Amino acid sequence: MKILLDTCAFLWLTTDAPELSDKAKILFQNTKNAVYLSSVSVWEIIVKQLGKLPLPSAADDFIKQQCEKHFIEYLTLDEKAVFQLSNLPNHHRDPFDKMLICQAIAHDLTILTSDKMIVQYPVSTAW
């Protein structure tokens, strides 16, 4: 399985937060799964750390360390994904979530998310 972590899932998985489902932990830890963090999530984490997101170190250092530690690959945002945006229903306004959905559709990924808004879209999800 090819898994795209939503931003909260990345933060919860890398800190072993209690919000994680057992299924999410199993999917994340299964070495047969390819796990990706989007450049969109990197952007979101950095923006939110400038506001109020508490992290143990600077966002860029934290993200790099956690991706290396957990063998998470980066997924860049490309035109193939962006072009999916015009096909999405307008269930909510979060541009970060919409781009993750577009990437998942464009690259045949399953989004690991507990977000009730994301599961309303025509995209594969797991939690």
Side-chain angles (χ1 to χ4, degrees), residues 16 18-19 24 32 43 52-53 69 75 79 85 91 93-94 103 112 115 120 124:
D16 199 26
E19 293 88 349
K32 292 181 182 177
W43 177 23
K52 59 184 174 184
L53 178 66
K69 177 180 177 181
L75 180 66
E79 291 82 8
L85 187 58
H91 295 310
R93 301 172 83 112
D94 186 321
Q103 286 183 296
L112 195 60
D115 188 323
Q120 294 180 37
S124 175

Side-chain angles (χ1 to χ4, degrees), residues 11-110:
L11 294 169
W12 292 342
L13 286 161
T14 58
T15 59
D16 199 26
E19 293 88 349
L20 289 173
S21 71
D22 290 337
K23 182 178 180 180
K25 288 180 189 178
I26 291 167
L27 288 171
F28 181 67
Q29 294 170 349
N30 184 340
T31 57
K32 292 181 182 177
N33 292 333
V35 180
Y36 299 92
L37 180 68
S38 171
S39 56
V40 173
S41 290
V42 172
W43 177 23
E44 182 177 17
I45 292 167
I46 291 172
V47 165
K48 289 185 176 179
Q49 189 187 36
L50 296 173
K52 59 184 174 184
L53 178 66
L55 292 175
S57 59
D60 56 336
D61 291 334
F62 176 78
I63 293 164
K64 290 173 192 173
Q65 290 167 354
Q66 294 304 312
C67 285
E68 186 175 311
K69 177 180 177 181
H70 297 285
F71 305 102
I72 299 169
E73 299 178 50
Y74 293 106
L75 180 66
T76 59
L77 181 61
D78 60 19
E79 291 82 8
K80 181 179 178 182
V82 174
F83 288 141
Q84 293 295 320
L85 187 58
S86 61
N87 300 324
L88 291 184
N90 197 20
H91 295 310
H92 76 308
R93 301 172 83 112
D94 186 321
F96 297 112
D97 286 350
K98 285 186 172 184
M99 283 295 98
L100 294 179
I101 293 162
C102 289
Q103 286 183 296
I105 292 169
H107 300 290
D108 195 27
L109 304 167
T110 297

Side-chain angles (χ1 to χ4, degrees), residues 89-92 101 113 115-123 125:
N90 197 20
H91 295 310
H92 76 308
I101 293 162
T113 185
D115 188 323
K116 302 284 190 246
M117 296 303 292
I118 291 176
V119 300
Q120 294 180 37
Y121 286 89
V123 65
T125 62

